[in-house]
Amino acid sequence: AQSVTQLGSHVSVSEGALVLLRCNYSSSVPPYLFWYVQYPNQGLQLLLKYTTGATLVKGINGFEAEFKKSETSFHLTKPSAHMSDAAEYFCAVSVPSGYSTLTFGKGTMLLVSP
Amino acid sequence: NAGVTQTPKFRILKIGQSMTLQCAQDMNHNYMYWYRQDPGMGLKLIYYSVGAGITDKGEVPNGYNVSRSTTEDFPLRLELAAPSQTSVYFCASSYLGTGQETQYFGPGTRLLVL
């Protein structure tokens, strides 16, 4: 079975600073990896995903993530934080299958201060 | 398109009561999912469905039941509500279930069992 570990339940940055949210996964087969974002009192929406091909994946709102097989990591970054980035971020993993489901990490709350 | 809709938005139940959480999607997606979200725990899969008439258990199915009579609807039933079922419930859908598809989430139902 696959699993996801997100380091840090809360990350605080200043507006304009680099955002780095960490995600490590465990999977016995090559995984598919996702980052979802949840704004207050809303459902989750996809930020970006890695399936195959280029290991550096760009998503919405200036976020990107790099799949590093040797480190079993899929960290999320953004060069310059905006106040509007304050939200909870979830890393998730799935594997190729006819009936595949997502396994989510516990989430990281991003706090952005002026 | 409305996407994934959920009703009600919020409900208070007494212990032992029953209720049905409604979920509908208008994207002609084959796969539908029910998750529960508890603070600091991420999302846990309760049940999922790969098409009308076909459902399967997820990670935390105890205390819940589902049915899928149409492609559009995937209701979640709580038969005997318990305080441990206090949570936020999210319904999601995807076109296929091979693992790499984006899941689209509803806005959630907040349930309080007292």
Side-chain angles (χ1 to χ4, degrees), chain A residues 32 34 36 38 41 43-44 46 49 51 90 94-102 104-106, chain B residues 31 33 35 37 40-43 45 48 50 90 97-103 105-107 110:
Chain A
Y32 300 132
F34 303 77
Y36 282 84
Q38 183 181 32
N41 298 315
L44 281 69
L46 182 72
K49 64 180 177 181
T51 54
F90 293 93
S94 67
V95 296
S97 169
Y99 300 103
S100 186
T101 58
L102 277 175
F104 285 88
K106 293 184 177 182
Chain B
Y31 283 67
Y33 314 83
Y35 296 91
Q37 182 182 27
M41 298 303 294
L43 278 77
L45 183 65
Y48 68 100
V50 306
F90 288 101
T98 61
Q100 58 186 309
E101 293 80 16
T102 299
Q103 289 189 17
F105 285 79
R110 188 174 298 271

